Amino acid sequence: MRIIFAGTPEFARVALERLHAAGFDIPLVLTQPDRPAGRGMKLQASPVKQFALEHGMAVAQPRSLRLDGKYPDDAAAAREAIVAAQADAMVVAAYGLILPQWVLDAPAKGCFNIHASLLPRWRGAAPIHRAIEAGDAETGVTIMQMDAGLDTGDMLLIERLPIGAADTTGGLHDRLAVLGGRMIVEALEIAACGGLIAVQQPDAGVTYAHKIEKAEAALDWSQPAAVLDRRVRAFNPFPGAGSALGGEAVKVWSAHAEAARADGAVAGQVLAADEHGIRVVTGDGVLVLTELQRAGGKRLPVADFLRGFPVNPGQVFDAPAAAVDRG
């Protein structure tokens, strides 16, 4: 099968690598335009673009695919490239652009999407983050036949993956990327034989994984410890859960909930701080912080963090937005 691939971040690069290794003919790769990144804010190619160029694949980077949109010339050039590719199917993984109907109709077998959730739960932009934040026991990958809706297409393949008590978005992302890469190869091989069975998504159980905003990073210490634990893991590595102590921004990269009484203490108050963790009062218990980072510093285990940033019992964490943003 001839495959057009559309994707941008590392999750998509893993799938492209697996398709390439499986021997699929990939005459065209679509990815987002280069973006400023790093301390110098220099233009940086996406992981998908880097892989494609390293392996001699043609790359297109339209700013839009809408022929009647803001960038009609980009869309027209992309349409010309897509038509010329004469692909049997398009594989889409975290591409970042909406596909108009003309794109969905272009390949003979349509467009296949690798989505990192058990649809219809967590349609949308941030399914891995939201599954951890919500305390889901499992997630997975759904290979979907794309339609004009937001992750509403028929399901073709689905596999489940447990979410562990210590899983972060970063770690779960990597496991799901590998799973998605394996599944899309399997789906295309079955599709080539006409053996895929499309199953309509149920109406019940639909949830939306809205895009992660930096403002969500601030920890609200009045919430239950288990909720804060999940938020720390969900926002690792982006945007990083944070708070402030003594007017300085502090990011919390690792923590765990502890069932404990803290009579007379206020939410955010430090009960103890040693090499085992910084114990902070929450709405219903204690959150033990074990990996932290001060503004401009490195992520450190709590023992090393405390050597450069002393924390004393009785101090109170808060979360002024400006302080957290500086982290």
Side-chain angles (χ1 to χ4, degrees), residues 101-118:
Q101 193 63 46
W102 72 262
V103 178
L104 299 175
D105 294 339
K109 295 183 182 296
C111 299
F112 296 74
N113 180 242
I114 308 170
H115 188 75
S117 83
L118 302 174

Side-chain angles (χ1 to χ4, degrees), residues 32-38 41-47 49-50 61:
Q32 287 269 6
D34 297 358
R35 307 289 191 202
M41 295 301 287
K42 296 180 180 180
L43 287 178
Q44 183 170 319
S46 72
K49 180 181 178 180
Q50 293 176 41
Q61 297 177 271

Side-chain angles (χ1 to χ4, degrees), residues 59-290:
V59 175
Q61 297 177 271
R63 289 167 291 181
S64 170
L65 292 169
R66 289 185 54 186
L67 296 168
D68 60 349
K70 187 177 180 181
Y71 304 104
D73 292 344
D74 281 27
R79 181 171 64 173
E80 184 175 334
I82 288 171
V83 171
Q86 296 183 318
D88 299 297
M90 179 185 287
V91 172
V92 182
Y95 178 30
L97 287 184
I98 295 173
L99 303 190
Q101 193 63 46
W102 72 262
V103 178
L104 299 175
D105 294 339
K109 295 183 182 296
C111 299
F112 296 74
N113 180 242
I114 308 170
H115 188 75
S117 83
L118 302 174
L119 291 172
R121 185 163 177 80
W122 302 129
R123 295 173 178 172
I128 303 174
H129 300 77
R130 299 306 183 191
I132 292 177
E133 184 185 20
D136 290 3
E138 63 178 2
T139 184
V141 168
T142 304
I143 305 297
M144 176 186 64
Q145 184 84 52
M146 296 182 70
D147 62 15
L150 176 62
D151 300 328
T152 55
D154 289 347
M155 300 179 293
L156 303 173
L157 287 180
I158 189 164
E159 287 199 27
R160 299 174 181 273
L161 197 67
I163 299 177
D167 272 337
T168 65
T169 287
L172 190 56
H173 165 280
D174 293 348
R175 289 160 57 203
L176 288 167
V178 171
L179 178 60
R182 176 177 64 76
M183 288 175 64
I184 192 60
V185 169
E186 180 182 348
L188 291 173
E189 289 174 344
I190 297 172
C193 304
L196 278 180
I197 299 174
V199 177
Q200 186 175 350
Q201 291 188 37
D203 294 330
V206 174
T207 57
Y208 288 92
H210 298 289
K211 181 181 177 181
I212 302 297
E213 303 290 347
K214 284 188 175 182
E216 296 182 69
L219 293 172
D220 178 357
W221 297 102
S222 67
Q223 293 185 320
V227 170
L228 295 174
D229 172 17
R230 295 198 302 266
R231 289 177 67 83
V232 168
R233 292 187 289 113
F235 297 158
N236 181 355
F238 177 84
S243 191
L245 188 64
E248 183 169 344
V250 175
K251 285 195 172 181
V252 180
W253 293 110
S254 183
H256 61 267
E258 184 179 279
R261 293 180 61 86
D263 296 334
V266 299
Q269 185 173 334
V270 175
L271 295 179
D274 56 32
E275 68 274 15
H276 302 296
I278 301 172
R279 301 178 70 245
V280 184
V281 177
T282 70
D284 72 345
V286 170
L287 190 69
V288 184
L289 318 183
T290 55

